[in-house]
């Protein structure tokens, strides 16, 4: 049997049923059983645990802001960083083809294995322990978050363009619909050198924020 003692110390968790750990580290190229189902479970658990942590940490953040922060914390790059911290590549069980092509260093395989580990810990010890392990592993990414991560889209777009020494965006109300007590604004956001974006909202401010958020997505700014 492989010696997982160093990995377990890095996780600050020792498995009661080691077959869960072995399965979490087994890529589908080996055959069955492998870590695909554990990856599915771990993905859902990670999203839930991170969502709760952000909910508690940023009580004033809106849903869209929390969603953006969560996406950043559970994305592949972050998972790969966790895998590298755990030196996970040396423990992966890969088929001959994946071994030959360096699969142990492939980002997708490393990220999937981290999610599978989370699923394995949950099955081995339950939600409370799983949450403790995940929050410990994600301590640095969570601590790196600060107030600038929850600035509104208009502010973030303006700061981005200022940093690029470009002209600031302009906003124009295209239409106002609905009733006097339930108005709906449509706003156009114009960013130099980019296609116009549009937003809807129950106030001009909300519509401008929605249009700015769309501009950020088009500019591929997280």
């Amino acid at each position: 049997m492989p010696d997982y003692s160093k990995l377990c110390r890095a996780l600050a968790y020792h498995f009661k049923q080691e077959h869960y750990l072995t399965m979490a580290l087994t890529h589908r190229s080996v055959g069955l059983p492998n870590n695909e189902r554990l990856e599915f479970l771990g993905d859902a658990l990670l999203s839930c645990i991170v969502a709760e942590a952000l909910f508690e940490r940023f009580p004033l953040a809106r849903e869209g802001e929390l969603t953006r922060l969560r996406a950043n914390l559970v994305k592949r790059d972050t998972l790969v960083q966790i895998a590298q911290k755990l030196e996970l590549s040396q423990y992966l069980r890969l088929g001959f083809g994946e071994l030959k092509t360096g699969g142990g260093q492939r980002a997708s395989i490393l990220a999937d294995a981290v999610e599978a580990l989370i699923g394995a810990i949950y099955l081995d010890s339950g939600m409370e322990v799983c949450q403790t392990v995940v929050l410990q592993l994600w301590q640095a990414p969570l601590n790196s978050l600060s107030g600038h991560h929850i600035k509104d889209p208009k502010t973030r777009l303006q700061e981005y363009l200022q940093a690029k020494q470009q002209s600031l965006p302009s906003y124009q109300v295209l239409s106002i619909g609905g009733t006097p007590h339930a108005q709906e604004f449509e706003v156009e956001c114009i960013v130099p050198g980019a296609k116009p974006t549009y937003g809807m909202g129950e106030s001009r401010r909300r519509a401008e924020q929605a249009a700015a958020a769309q501009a950020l997505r088009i500019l591929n700014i997280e």
Side-chain angles (χ1 to χ4, degrees):
M1 290 289 291
D3 182 3
Y4 294 129
S5 56
K6 184 180 177 182
L7 174 58
C8 289
R9 286 196 297 272
L11 284 169
Y13 179 78
H14 292 267
F15 280 82
K16 295 177 286 188
Q17 301 181 71
E18 197 168 279
H19 71 273
Y20 284 132
L21 174 57
T22 301
M23 190 184 302
L25 298 170
T26 303
H27 187 254
R28 65 176 180 272
S29 59
V30 175
L32 293 172
N34 57 54
N35 65 7
E36 285 188 316
R37 285 167 53 83
L38 286 175
E39 174 203 338
F40 165 79
L41 181 60
D43 175 62
L45 289 163
L46 175 61
S47 183
C48 178
I49 292 168
V50 168
E52 183 180 353
L54 292 171
F55 184 86
E56 296 295 335
R57 190 173 288 235
F58 297 107
L60 300 180
R62 294 181 176 179
E63 178 191 2
E65 295 163 344
L66 294 172
T67 298
R68 177 172 54 82
L69 291 175
R70 180 180 61 183
N72 192 55
L73 288 172
V74 303
K75 67 182 181 180
R76 178 179 292 181
D77 288 352
T78 306
L79 288 163
V80 170
Q81 290 172 11
I82 300 296
Q84 291 170 341
K85 178 182 176 182
L86 296 172
E87 299 182 350
L88 211 55
S89 60
Q90 63 182 290
Y91 301 102
L92 294 175
R93 300 178 68 228
L94 304 170
F96 176 75
E98 289 292 349
L99 282 171
K100 189 176 180 181
T101 57
Q105 300 299 325
R106 190 167 297 137
S108 59
I109 291 178
L110 289 171
D112 291 348
V114 172
E115 291 178 336
L117 273 175
I118 294 169
I121 293 169
Y122 170 77
L123 292 177
D124 195 53
S125 288
M127 187 63 180
E128 186 175 347
V129 172
C130 181
Q131 183 178 33
T132 299
V133 174
V134 168
L135 291 179
Q136 179 62 34
L137 290 174
W138 261 258
Q139 184 176 28
L142 280 165
N143 287 344
S144 71
L145 301 178
S146 58
H148 74 273
H149 286 84
I150 56 172
K151 289 178 180 176
D152 63 78
K154 281 187 66 177
T155 301
R156 292 172 56 229
L157 180 60
Q158 179 175 315
E159 291 180 350
Y160 170 80
L161 293 172
Q162 286 175 330
K164 295 286 186 179
Q165 296 185 330
Q166 296 179 9
S167 300
L168 297 182
S170 61
Y171 299 89
Q172 180 180 354
V173 176
L174 298 181
S175 66
I176 304 175
T179 66
H181 299 290
Q183 290 184 317
E184 185 171 56
F185 290 76
E186 181 183 13
V187 166
E188 178 184 50
C189 173
I190 300 174
V191 175
K195 292 182 179 180
T197 57
Y198 305 91
M200 306 285 290
E202 66 271 22
S203 67
R204 176 172 179 165
R205 180 180 177 278
R206 288 286 182 89
E208 288 177 349
Q209 296 287 8
Q214 181 65 23
L216 290 170
R217 285 192 286 272
I218 288 177
L219 294 169
N220 200 28
I221 303 169
E222 296 205 10

PDB file of all heavy atoms in Angstrom, residues 8 10 30 57 64 71 76 83 92 95 99 118 128 130 142 181 184-185 187 197 217:
ATOM      1  N   CYS A   8      -1.576  12.966   4.559  1.00  0.00           N
ATOM      2  CA  CYS A   8      -2.550  13.133   5.645  1.00  0.00           C
ATOM      3  C   CYS A   8      -2.121  14.233   6.613  1.00  0.00           C
ATOM      4  O   CYS A   8      -2.964  14.983   7.119  1.00  0.00           O
ATOM      5  CB  CYS A   8      -2.735  11.810   6.394  1.00  0.00           C
ATOM      6  SG  CYS A   8      -3.621  10.555   5.432  1.00  0.00           S
ATOM      7  N   ALA A  10      -0.392  16.863   5.713  1.00  0.00           N
ATOM      8  CA  ALA A  10      -0.655  18.115   4.982  1.00  0.00           C
ATOM      9  C   ALA A  10      -2.140  18.467   5.016  1.00  0.00           C
ATOM     10  O   ALA A  10      -2.506  19.640   5.073  1.00  0.00           O
ATOM     11  CB  ALA A  10      -0.163  17.981   3.549  1.00  0.00           C
ATOM     12  N   VAL A  30      -7.417   4.537 -14.903  1.00  0.00           N
ATOM     13  CA  VAL A  30      -7.069   3.269 -14.255  1.00  0.00           C
ATOM     14  C   VAL A  30      -8.195   2.258 -14.417  1.00  0.00           C
ATOM     15  O   VAL A  30      -7.971   1.047 -14.455  1.00  0.00           O
ATOM     16  CB  VAL A  30      -6.757   3.501 -12.754  1.00  0.00           C
ATOM     17  CG1 VAL A  30      -6.520   2.186 -12.023  1.00  0.00           C
ATOM     18  CG2 VAL A  30      -5.546   4.414 -12.602  1.00  0.00           C
ATOM     19  N   ARG A  57     -18.390  36.075   6.233  1.00  0.00           N
ATOM     20  CA  ARG A  57     -17.266  37.008   6.198  1.00  0.00           C
ATOM     21  C   ARG A  57     -17.640  38.373   5.634  1.00  0.00           C
ATOM     22  O   ARG A  57     -17.088  39.394   6.029  1.00  0.00           O
ATOM     23  CB  ARG A  57     -16.135  36.396   5.366  1.00  0.00           C
ATOM     24  CG  ARG A  57     -14.818  37.154   5.431  1.00  0.00           C
ATOM     25  CD  ARG A  57     -13.735  36.375   4.710  1.00  0.00           C
ATOM     26  NE  ARG A  57     -13.341  35.199   5.468  1.00  0.00           N
ATOM     27  CZ  ARG A  57     -12.095  34.920   5.835  1.00  0.00           C
ATOM     28  NH1 ARG A  57     -11.128  35.747   5.503  1.00  0.00           N
ATOM     29  NH2 ARG A  57     -11.821  33.832   6.513  1.00  0.00           N
ATOM     30  N   GLY A  64     -24.743  38.899  -6.097  1.00  0.00           N
ATOM     31  CA  GLY A  64     -23.839  38.857  -7.241  1.00  0.00           C
ATOM     32  C   GLY A  64     -22.383  38.932  -6.832  1.00  0.00           C
ATOM     33  O   GLY A  64     -21.527  38.257  -7.418  1.00  0.00           O
ATOM     34  N   ALA A  71     -16.947  31.936  -7.131  1.00  0.00           N
ATOM     35  CA  ALA A  71     -16.417  31.412  -8.396  1.00  0.00           C
ATOM     36  C   ALA A  71     -14.900  31.509  -8.432  1.00  0.00           C
ATOM     37  O   ALA A  71     -14.217  30.605  -8.937  1.00  0.00           O
ATOM     38  CB  ALA A  71     -17.024  32.168  -9.568  1.00  0.00           C
ATOM     39  N   ARG A  76     -10.609  26.392 -11.188  1.00  0.00           N
ATOM     40  CA  ARG A  76      -9.548  25.396 -11.376  1.00  0.00           C
ATOM     41  C   ARG A  76      -8.197  25.883 -10.875  1.00  0.00           C
ATOM     42  O   ARG A  76      -7.455  25.129 -10.232  1.00  0.00           O
ATOM     43  CB  ARG A  76      -9.438  25.008 -12.854  1.00  0.00           C
ATOM     44  CG  ARG A  76      -8.330  24.003 -13.134  1.00  0.00           C
ATOM     45  CD  ARG A  76      -8.254  23.624 -14.603  1.00  0.00           C
ATOM     46  NE  ARG A  76      -9.418  22.861 -15.009  1.00  0.00           N
ATOM     47  CZ  ARG A  76      -9.592  22.395 -16.248  1.00  0.00           C
ATOM     48  NH1 ARG A  76      -8.687  22.649 -17.176  1.00  0.00           N
ATOM     49  NH2 ARG A  76     -10.661  21.691 -16.550  1.00  0.00           N
ATOM     50  N   ALA A  83      -3.744  21.652  -4.729  1.00  0.00           N
ATOM     51  CA  ALA A  83      -3.125  20.365  -5.081  1.00  0.00           C
ATOM     52  C   ALA A  83      -1.606  20.452  -4.996  1.00  0.00           C
ATOM     53  O   ALA A  83      -0.944  19.522  -4.500  1.00  0.00           O
ATOM     54  CB  ALA A  83      -3.560  19.944  -6.483  1.00  0.00           C
ATOM     55  N   LEU A  92      -1.137  10.429  -7.086  1.00  0.00           N
ATOM     56  CA  LEU A  92      -2.196  10.083  -8.028  1.00  0.00           C
ATOM     57  C   LEU A  92      -1.966   8.703  -8.642  1.00  0.00           C
ATOM     58  O   LEU A  92      -0.837   8.328  -8.965  1.00  0.00           O
ATOM     59  CB  LEU A  92      -2.277  11.134  -9.142  1.00  0.00           C
ATOM     60  CG  LEU A  92      -2.704  12.540  -8.719  1.00  0.00           C
ATOM     61  CD1 LEU A  92      -2.612  13.483  -9.905  1.00  0.00           C
ATOM     62  CD2 LEU A  92      -4.121  12.537  -8.159  1.00  0.00           C
ATOM     63  N   GLY A  95      -3.547   5.739 -15.241  1.00  0.00           N
ATOM     64  CA  GLY A  95      -3.322   4.702 -16.228  1.00  0.00           C
ATOM     65  C   GLY A  95      -2.042   4.955 -17.002  1.00  0.00           C
ATOM     66  O   GLY A  95      -1.472   6.048 -16.963  1.00  0.00           O
ATOM     67  N   LEU A  99       0.154   8.460 -17.458  1.00  0.00           N
ATOM     68  CA  LEU A  99       1.514   8.529 -16.907  1.00  0.00           C
ATOM     69  C   LEU A  99       2.511   8.932 -17.985  1.00  0.00           C
ATOM     70  O   LEU A  99       3.398   9.760 -17.768  1.00  0.00           O
ATOM     71  CB  LEU A  99       1.908   7.175 -16.315  1.00  0.00           C
ATOM     72  CG  LEU A  99       1.335   6.824 -14.943  1.00  0.00           C
ATOM     73  CD1 LEU A  99       1.649   5.374 -14.597  1.00  0.00           C
ATOM     74  CD2 LEU A  99       1.909   7.761 -13.870  1.00  0.00           C
ATOM     75  N   ILE A 118     -12.176  16.016  -1.089  1.00  0.00           N
ATOM     76  CA  ILE A 118     -13.202  16.636  -0.237  1.00  0.00           C
ATOM     77  C   ILE A 118     -14.391  15.693  -0.087  1.00  0.00           C
ATOM     78  O   ILE A 118     -14.911  15.499   1.016  1.00  0.00           O
ATOM     79  CB  ILE A 118     -13.636  17.990  -0.835  1.00  0.00           C
ATOM     80  CG1 ILE A 118     -12.471  18.979  -0.780  1.00  0.00           C
ATOM     81  CG2 ILE A 118     -14.856  18.550  -0.095  1.00  0.00           C
ATOM     82  CD1 ILE A 118     -12.706  20.256  -1.571  1.00  0.00           C
ATOM     83  N   GLU A 128     -19.162  18.219   9.313  1.00  0.00           N
ATOM     84  CA  GLU A 128     -18.442  19.126  10.209  1.00  0.00           C
ATOM     85  C   GLU A 128     -16.935  19.002  10.033  1.00  0.00           C
ATOM     86  O   GLU A 128     -16.222  20.006   9.925  1.00  0.00           O
ATOM     87  CB  GLU A 128     -18.834  18.852  11.666  1.00  0.00           C
ATOM     88  CG  GLU A 128     -18.227  19.845  12.644  1.00  0.00           C
ATOM     89  CD  GLU A 128     -18.723  19.638  14.059  1.00  0.00           C
ATOM     90  OE1 GLU A 128     -19.711  18.908  14.255  1.00  0.00           O
ATOM     91  OE2 GLU A 128     -18.120  20.213  14.979  1.00  0.00           O
ATOM     92  N   CYS A 130     -15.379  17.678   7.416  1.00  0.00           N
ATOM     93  CA  CYS A 130     -15.076  18.079   6.045  1.00  0.00           C
ATOM     94  C   CYS A 130     -14.959  19.597   5.948  1.00  0.00           C
ATOM     95  O   CYS A 130     -14.029  20.131   5.320  1.00  0.00           O
ATOM     96  CB  CYS A 130     -16.151  17.555   5.103  1.00  0.00           C
ATOM     97  SG  CYS A 130     -15.883  17.969   3.368  1.00  0.00           S
ATOM     98  N   LEU A 142      -8.951  32.598   1.290  1.00  0.00           N
ATOM     99  CA  LEU A 142      -9.994  33.366   1.965  1.00  0.00           C
ATOM    100  C   LEU A 142      -9.424  34.618   2.623  1.00  0.00           C
ATOM    101  O   LEU A 142     -10.015  35.695   2.554  1.00  0.00           O
ATOM    102  CB  LEU A 142     -10.695  32.491   3.019  1.00  0.00           C
ATOM    103  CG  LEU A 142     -11.760  31.528   2.492  1.00  0.00           C
ATOM    104  CD1 LEU A 142     -12.113  30.488   3.552  1.00  0.00           C
ATOM    105  CD2 LEU A 142     -13.022  32.280   2.060  1.00  0.00           C
ATOM    106  N   HIS A 181     -44.949  53.153 -10.000  1.00  0.00           N
ATOM    107  CA  HIS A 181     -44.532  52.514  -8.747  1.00  0.00           C
ATOM    108  C   HIS A 181     -43.672  51.270  -8.983  1.00  0.00           C
ATOM    109  O   HIS A 181     -43.172  50.671  -8.029  1.00  0.00           O
ATOM    110  CB  HIS A 181     -45.764  52.127  -7.919  1.00  0.00           C
ATOM    111  CG  HIS A 181     -46.608  53.303  -7.543  1.00  0.00           C
ATOM    112  ND1 HIS A 181     -46.202  54.248  -6.627  1.00  0.00           N
ATOM    113  CD2 HIS A 181     -47.836  53.705  -7.982  1.00  0.00           C
ATOM    114  CE1 HIS A 181     -47.144  55.173  -6.506  1.00  0.00           C
ATOM    115  NE2 HIS A 181     -48.147  54.868  -7.308  1.00  0.00           N
ATOM    116  N   GLU A 184     -39.003  50.237 -14.733  1.00  0.00           N
ATOM    117  CA  GLU A 184     -37.885  49.405 -15.179  1.00  0.00           C
ATOM    118  C   GLU A 184     -37.062  50.229 -16.162  1.00  0.00           C
ATOM    119  O   GLU A 184     -37.572  50.693 -17.182  1.00  0.00           O
ATOM    120  CB  GLU A 184     -38.368  48.120 -15.851  1.00  0.00           C
ATOM    121  CG  GLU A 184     -37.215  47.184 -16.206  1.00  0.00           C
ATOM    122  CD  GLU A 184     -37.707  45.830 -16.677  1.00  0.00           C
ATOM    123  OE1 GLU A 184     -38.495  45.799 -17.636  1.00  0.00           O
ATOM    124  OE2 GLU A 184     -37.299  44.811 -16.096  1.00  0.00           O
ATOM    125  N   PHE A 185     -35.797  50.403 -15.820  1.00  0.00           N
ATOM    126  CA  PHE A 185     -34.887  51.206 -16.626  1.00  0.00           C
ATOM    127  C   PHE A 185     -34.023  50.294 -17.492  1.00  0.00           C
ATOM    128  O   PHE A 185     -33.570  49.230 -17.039  1.00  0.00           O
ATOM    129  CB  PHE A 185     -33.960  52.038 -15.730  1.00  0.00           C
ATOM    130  CG  PHE A 185     -34.660  53.154 -15.000  1.00  0.00           C
ATOM    131  CD1 PHE A 185     -35.461  52.891 -13.898  1.00  0.00           C
ATOM    132  CD2 PHE A 185     -34.508  54.476 -15.413  1.00  0.00           C
ATOM    133  CE1 PHE A 185     -36.097  53.922 -13.213  1.00  0.00           C
ATOM    134  CE2 PHE A 185     -35.139  55.505 -14.737  1.00  0.00           C
ATOM    135  CZ  PHE A 185     -35.940  55.230 -13.640  1.00  0.00           C
ATOM    136  N   VAL A 187     -30.460  50.662 -19.568  1.00  0.00           N
ATOM    137  CA  VAL A 187     -29.315  51.563 -19.680  1.00  0.00           C
ATOM    138  C   VAL A 187     -28.258  50.934 -20.590  1.00  0.00           C
ATOM    139  O   VAL A 187     -28.029  49.726 -20.556  1.00  0.00           O
ATOM    140  CB  VAL A 187     -28.714  51.847 -18.284  1.00  0.00           C
ATOM    141  CG1 VAL A 187     -27.342  52.485 -18.393  1.00  0.00           C
ATOM    142  CG2 VAL A 187     -29.644  52.743 -17.488  1.00  0.00           C
ATOM    143  N   THR A 197     -22.770  47.592 -23.850  1.00  0.00           N
ATOM    144  CA  THR A 197     -23.462  46.591 -23.044  1.00  0.00           C
ATOM    145  C   THR A 197     -24.714  47.211 -22.459  1.00  0.00           C
ATOM    146  O   THR A 197     -24.840  48.443 -22.397  1.00  0.00           O
ATOM    147  CB  THR A 197     -22.564  46.061 -21.915  1.00  0.00           C
ATOM    148  OG1 THR A 197     -22.128  47.163 -21.092  1.00  0.00           O
ATOM    149  CG2 THR A 197     -21.343  45.350 -22.481  1.00  0.00           C
ATOM    150  N   ARG A 217     -17.669  41.414 -17.734  1.00  0.00           N
ATOM    151  CA  ARG A 217     -17.630  40.043 -18.259  1.00  0.00           C
ATOM    152  C   ARG A 217     -17.047  40.027 -19.669  1.00  0.00           C
ATOM    153  O   ARG A 217     -16.235  39.158 -20.003  1.00  0.00           O
ATOM    154  CB  ARG A 217     -19.021  39.434 -18.236  1.00  0.00           C
ATOM    155  CG  ARG A 217     -19.490  39.015 -16.853  1.00  0.00           C
ATOM    156  CD  ARG A 217     -20.738  38.158 -16.906  1.00  0.00           C
ATOM    157  NE  ARG A 217     -21.915  38.962 -17.231  1.00  0.00           N
ATOM    158  CZ  ARG A 217     -22.658  39.586 -16.317  1.00  0.00           C
ATOM    159  NH1 ARG A 217     -22.357  39.500 -15.047  1.00  0.00           N
ATOM    160  NH2 ARG A 217     -23.717  40.285 -16.693  1.00  0.00           N
TER     161      ARG A 217
END
